[in-house]
Amino acid sequence: MSDGKWVEECGVFGVFDPKKVLHEAARLAYYGIFSLQHRGQESAGIVVNHAGQFLGHKGVGLVVDVFDDLHLSMMTGHAAVGHVRFPDPGEGGSDVIQPMQIKSKAGQLAIATNGSIINADEIRTQLKELGAIFQTTADFEVILTLLARNRIASDCIEDAILQVMSEIKGAYSTVIMTDDRLIGFRDPLGIRPLIIGKKDSSYIFASESCALDAIGAETIRDVLPGEVITVSEDGLFSRYYIPEETAHSNGKLCIFEFVYFARPDSCLDGASVHQSRVNTGRALAREAPCECDVVVAAPDSGVAAAMGYAMESGVPYGSALLKNRYIGRTFIQATQLQREMSVRLKFSVLKSEVRGKKIVIVDDSIVRGTTMRNNIQILREAGAKEVHLRVASPPVRFPCYYGVSASNPDELTASRSSVEEIRTAIGADSLAYVSLEGLKASTEGILCGHCASCFDGAFPAGVPECHAEIYSAQSLEDNEAK
Ligand code: SF4
């Protein structure tokens, strides 16, 4: 978590020029993953096809820390894959940094993936029994190992990928570079985003359209749920893995991408992220109006929803809470005094905007509520007469098993507390959330359905076997009762 928010685990990027005119594929990948940095700040990596030899460079840190001009000038080539990531709790070390590359009987492979395979442990156990050796605990190694095995028995890499897709369960958007092609594929429900674009004669896959915009590429379209798109010297072609159970679904894109994960200038499956956030703020104002003097945003994640709330309610939007952008991620918070100081250094209040006023503060989501409690406290200390909290997503009551770095229900305030209990704990005068219907309707123009499992517990791609009992019908009923 970052600032008490869930964090997306990964951003993926791939580029391939079938005409081999492009020599700076790694540099394009660098700019691509730089613009996907919000999807993972723990590590970054790029593998390039350098005249038939795969060269990789990766490391811990931000994209700008991992790469310098020297690295990029040595990594020439017409194809590359890149990745940024945030690790699972307990996962660490350089072994789990993507892209991962292997040499198999069928040639070289490099993989960059975003998501989570819920039956990875079972597959890993089966493969170990067959003699496979794993270097990491990461899901992408399971995909790569399965793929290398399936490739030997398949006529082409695409057949092997379709076979892998029939064996794995979960949410994944993956880019694979082989000796002669680049392949992007998305799980049968399209839970994690993936888009394809074009720049000159090169084709590009990226987690979000903002990465295409950043390199001056035009968007072709989103990769469809279950679609496997190959880019090679023969052109572009698609194949599909559509299992029976998803045959009548038009996909279930993660709705939290619109709430918080995705960059506001991205467009996912036909819907603008920024516009959906403004629309949610409007819906929130209709569903949970409040008598107040000013609408303010929780910085920076609540800005678009707060603007929507202000527009719909007619109450002026004001700047009251400011975030210090220069506070390092390494800021030490070992003692209570340091934690308090951390909040005070991180956020400050424009007292003149707050003193004597009734304030509505709008945030995109409340997962743990710690940061919001501190923000409300400093607003009151600055003289706010009343502080009302409005949240532009429903209560987060369930963990995510589909590629978000939080799977412990104990971390979710709303899974164990009522709205009133949360209001009291946070110290707001009133608290209201937008409805799930209001949130879904806000993703105007979207071409698919939504995964909203962290709100409704539906889990369309299932849950890991070890958690299946927790989410049995009875458990869901208990949670509903809460
Ligand atoms: Fe997104 Fe929530 Fe579904 Fe996870 S459970 S994929 S965060 S909507």
Side-chain angles (χ1 to χ4, degrees):
M1 289 198 200
S2 162
D3 282 352
K5 304 281 184 194
W6 273 357
V7 287
E8 178 66 74
E9 279 187 354
C10 304
V12 300
F13 186 93
V15 54
F16 184 93
D17 182 4
K19 295 188 174 165
K20 299 191 177 171
V21 176
L22 178 71
H23 296 297
E24 295 200 304
R27 213 172 274 275
L28 280 188
Y30 172 82
Y31 295 127
I33 60 173
F34 180 84
S35 58
L36 295 171
Q37 186 78 83
H38 59 287
R39 298 182 74 85
Q41 295 104 50
E42 197 63 26
S43 64
I46 293 173
V47 174
V48 67
N49 184 339
H50 174 77
Q53 187 192 0
F54 282 16
L55 297 180
H57 180 75
K58 52 190 181 179
V60 174
L62 299 174
V63 175
V64 288
D65 299 327
V66 173
F67 293 92
D68 59 26
D69 198 53
L70 185 63
H71 294 126
L72 295 171
S73 57
M74 290 190 300
M75 295 173 75
T76 56
H78 70 284
V81 283
H83 192 266
V84 284
R85 81 184 290 272
F86 194 94
D88 272 333
E91 257 192 6
S94 55
D95 289 348
V96 293
I97 302 176
Q98 298 185 51
M100 188 181 205
Q101 55 186 110
I102 59 163
K103 273 185 189 168
S104 73
K105 280 183 194 160
Q108 302 174 95
L109 293 171
I111 185 171
T113 189
N114 171 210
S116 187
I117 308 303
I118 61 169
N119 60 342
D121 289 347
E122 290 88 325
I123 295 175
R124 187 181 283 109
T125 304
Q126 287 162 12
L127 289 171
K128 277 183 181 171
E129 281 166 8
L130 295 171
I133 297 169
F134 287 89
Q135 323 270 341
T136 76
T137 54
D139 290 359
F140 61 80
E141 194 179 7
V142 170
I143 298 178
L144 207 50
T145 307
L146 265 184
L147 186 58
R149 294 179 90 89
N150 291 342
R151 177 69 186 93
I152 295 165
S154 309
D155 289 340
C156 60
I157 183 82
E158 290 79 9
D159 280 351
I161 289 173
L162 293 171
Q163 178 62 29
V164 170
M165 290 170 82
S166 73
E167 293 172 70
I168 58 177
K169 292 190 184 116
Y172 48 87
S173 277
T174 304
V175 180
I176 287 179
M177 182 172 71
T178 71
D179 292 308
D180 64 353
R181 57 195 62 199
L182 185 72
I183 302 164
F185 58 98
R186 206 170 164 194
D187 67 77
L189 288 168
I191 293 173
R192 301 258 70 91
L194 189 66
I195 196 162
I196 182 167
K198 193 172 186 204
K199 180 178 171 63
D200 305 320
S201 53
S202 301
Y203 290 90
I204 296 119
F205 292 104
S207 291
E208 291 180 38
S209 62
C210 67
L212 300 181
D213 296 338
I215 60 165
E218 63 180 275
T219 294
I220 298 176
R221 64 174 171 82
D222 295 275
V223 178
L224 297 173
E227 187 176 18
V228 179
I229 300 184
T230 301
V231 186
S232 72
E233 284 179 19
D234 299 328
L236 210 64
F237 66 95
S238 289
R239 295 180 65 176
Y240 295 87
Y241 172 67
I242 311 280
E244 183 65 31
E245 59 272 23
T246 66
H248 303 294
S249 162
N250 63 342
K252 295 205 177 287
L253 175 63
C254 166
I255 204 164
F256 227 94
E257 294 282 352
F258 293 96
V259 173
Y260 177 72
F261 299 147
R263 233 171 69 164
D265 53 334
S266 284
C267 200
L268 306 176
D269 283 311
S272 153
V273 173
H274 172 74
Q275 193 54 52
S276 78
R277 289 175 186 167
V278 173
N279 292 347
T280 310
R282 283 183 176 276
L284 188 55
R286 290 192 296 274
E287 293 179 7
C290 181
E291 283 219 358
C292 59
D293 303 312
V294 64
V295 178
V296 306
D300 298 313
S301 55
V303 171
M307 283 164 50
Y309 194 98
M311 284 188 262
E312 188 72 19
S313 62
V315 177
Y317 175 85
S319 295
L321 273 172
L322 307 177
K323 190 173 181 179
N324 183 345
R325 293 170 197 284
Y326 304 103
I327 199 157
R329 291 190 309 138
T330 51
F331 198 77
I332 300 161
Q333 301 183 39
T335 67
Q336 182 59 25
L337 175 66
Q338 285 167 335
R339 279 192 286 275
E340 279 177 30
M341 290 307 292
S342 158
V343 173
R344 287 173 193 284
L345 290 174
K346 204 167 199 172
F347 298 100
S348 55
V349 183
L350 290 173
K351 288 184 183 151
S352 59
E353 294 292 309
V354 166
R355 200 173 294 126
K357 289 185 180 165
K358 294 180 191 173
I359 291 172
V360 169
I361 179 166
V362 180
D363 203 355
D364 64 286
S365 58
I366 299 288
V367 176
R368 276 193 309 201
T370 42
T371 305
M372 182 51 73
R373 184 175 58 229
N374 294 324
N375 281 339
I376 289 175
Q377 189 185 334
I378 60 175
L379 283 168
R380 287 199 193 282
E381 286 171 9
K385 201 161 133 196
E386 292 174 15
V387 184
H388 302 267
L389 175 59
R390 295 293 179 268
V391 187
S393 58
V396 178
R397 296 190 296 135
F398 301 92
C400 174
Y401 297 109
Y402 303 148
V404 169
S405 187
S407 57
N408 184 357
D410 294 340
E411 287 181 334
L412 309 175
T413 307
S415 73
R416 58 179 194 280
S417 309
S418 67
V419 172
E420 178 54 20
E421 285 167 342
I422 297 169
R423 183 199 67 75
T424 306
I426 285 178
D429 289 294
S430 73
L431 166 63
Y433 298 79
V434 77
S435 66
L436 186 53
E437 296 68 35
L439 175 62
K440 285 182 176 176
S442 299
T443 56
E444 206 176 275
I446 196 161
L447 302 167
C448 60
H450 307 91
C451 171
S453 305
C454 44
F455 305 122
D456 63 14
F459 295 108
V463 299
E465 212 173 274
C466 56
H467 289 200
E469 220 169 281
I470 307 173
Y471 294 98
S472 64
Q474 186 55 49
S475 301
L476 291 174
E477 267 172 33
D478 291 348
N479 278 304
E480 285 298 335
K482 267 189 198 171

